[in-house]
Amino acid sequence: MSEPRIIPIAAAPARPVQPAAGPWESRLTASPPLALYVHYPWCVRKCPYCDFNSHAVKDEGIPEAAYIEALVADLEGALPQIWGRRVHSIFIGGGTPSLMSPEGLDTLLTAIRMRVQLDPLAEITLEANPGTVDSGRFKAFREAGVNRLSVGIQSFDERHLKALGRIHGRADAIAAAEAALTHFEAVNLDLMYALPGQTLAEAEADLATALALGPTHLSCYHLTLEPNTAFAANPPEVPDPDASADMQDHIEGRLGDAGYIHYETSAFARPNRECRHNLNYWTFGDYLGIGAGAHGKLSSHEGIVRETRPKHPAAYLAARQDGSFVQERRTIGAAELPFEFMMNALRLNRGFPKRLFAERTGLPFEAVEAGLIKARAEGLIEVDGETIRPTTRGRHFLNELLMRFLPA
């Protein structure tokens, strides 16, 4: 489980792609905000719907010390690319990072603080599985420096938890959420809907239970049958699109009534409790990704590059001997940048200021103007002063909207 997730977007009839005029050349005048993502690839077992880079723990256990040493070496190797830049957030995702020992986590966070300019008020998030934690463990994570917890509940219904292959039950989920809220002021609960055999009443009951716990943030995801998963190979029977839409409508309405702001496609937060790390993704900020299979995006005067690390834990650990953990590095071409930017920024329900496009891509606003004009004429976006945001139709047909910004 790893925020942010890709969630299903309603399909719409294909229309001709509106390419950006050009050619343009990317010229950044300042570095975007910088975040750090740390991937922890192990789980107790692989869930049948999961397409993240996660691996079930084998009999020999997790080589925690070696992996943490590799993460530190990976970070040290990347320091020249981020030298002098402040890190505003850390997100430790997986996999199941709560399998890490509190001592190991403390070692890791101490090593990070010693090597990067970490903002004193940095948001530091750890993902946790209810089946791997207790109150004492959460307390130790907090003492190590974590200040935001993301708990993968998914459902409070025993039948649905079993269908999803989760290792926890309803009682574990409630206990984990209560313990998290005891030790952390900022807590996200993950919920999924449109589960195999799920009814609207059951989805409503899951949400009601989550609301009664009182988290500061909720992430509500539509179950998708992703390629290369057990569910893709043997698809379960899931609610039809109309039933799924009813669940989505209820979730959005109920959370709005409860005072949560629907600020991103699948994210809801109390006022001023948005996930700062994920907002950095969606506003096309930079992030260094370390760990097995981690991705990163880094900007400099030479351009904007994406990096990936070796996916399998064994390959990642072996990479230390090769002197570099970077498996692939490529520059994002100017023709790709409009789509890359919009794919993130248009997930934000409140939209983005026009100036942000030039600030984060180094391209003039004219590079996306034609696409925006077309999308506006089709009712997919609206412009309010200097702010561009998707309409309700644009949010529901995001794939259709994004086609306006694909390279020719």
Side-chain angles (χ1 to χ4, degrees), residues 2 37-42 52-55 63 66-68 70-72 74 93-95 289-296 307-319 325-327:
S2 255
Y37 176 77
V38 182
H39 193 74
Y40 195 82
W42 289 282
F52 293 124
N53 182 35
S54 59
H55 305 264
Y67 191 71
I68 291 172
L71 288 172
V72 175
D74 191 356
I290 61 173
H295 292 244
E307 297 180 339
T308 58
R309 266 60 175 169
K311 187 174 181 179
H312 197 279
Y316 179 77
L317 289 169
F325 289 91
V326 179
Q327 184 176 56

Side-chain angles (χ1 to χ4, degrees), residues 182-346:
T182 297
H183 297 291
F184 295 87
E185 291 184 4
V187 175
N188 170 69
L189 301 183
D190 277 353
L191 287 181
M192 299 179 77
Y193 64 95
L195 306 178
Q198 189 179 40
T199 65
L200 176 59
E202 289 170 332
E204 292 173 347
D206 270 350
L207 184 61
T209 302
L211 283 173
L213 290 163
T216 54
H217 192 287
L218 279 159
S219 299
C220 299
Y221 307 112
H222 186 300
L223 172 66
T224 55
L225 308 185
E226 300 287 358
N228 304 313
T229 63
F231 271 1
N234 187 22
E237 186 174 346
V238 295
D240 63 38
D242 287 340
S244 298
D246 288 342
M247 294 179 195
Q248 181 179 358
D249 288 344
H250 171 79
I251 289 167
E252 293 179 1
R254 181 70 183 88
L255 286 173
D257 292 342
Y260 288 80
I261 299 168
H262 186 191
Y263 70 100
E264 186 272 340
T265 306
S266 55
F268 304 79
R270 294 287 189 189
N272 302 314
R273 292 292 190 169
E274 295 92 342
C275 177
R276 284 185 276 148
H277 185 89
N278 287 345
L279 280 173
N280 187 59
Y281 290 142
W282 297 320
T283 53
F284 212 51
D286 277 359
Y287 55 99
L288 171 64
I290 61 173
H295 292 244
K297 168 194 166 282
L298 296 171
S299 305
S300 73
H301 65 282
E302 296 179 346
I304 302 173
V305 300
R306 288 203 180 276
E307 297 180 339
T308 58
R309 266 60 175 169
K311 187 174 181 179
H312 197 279
Y316 179 77
L317 289 169
R320 187 178 181 186
Q321 308 306 316
D322 300 331
S324 175
F325 289 91
V326 179
Q327 184 176 56
E328 181 181 356
R329 177 184 288 120
R330 74 175 189 89
T331 300
I332 305 174
E336 301 171 84
L337 282 171
F339 178 80
E340 291 264 351
F341 175 88
M342 293 295 181
M343 182 174 60
N344 289 281
L346 288 174

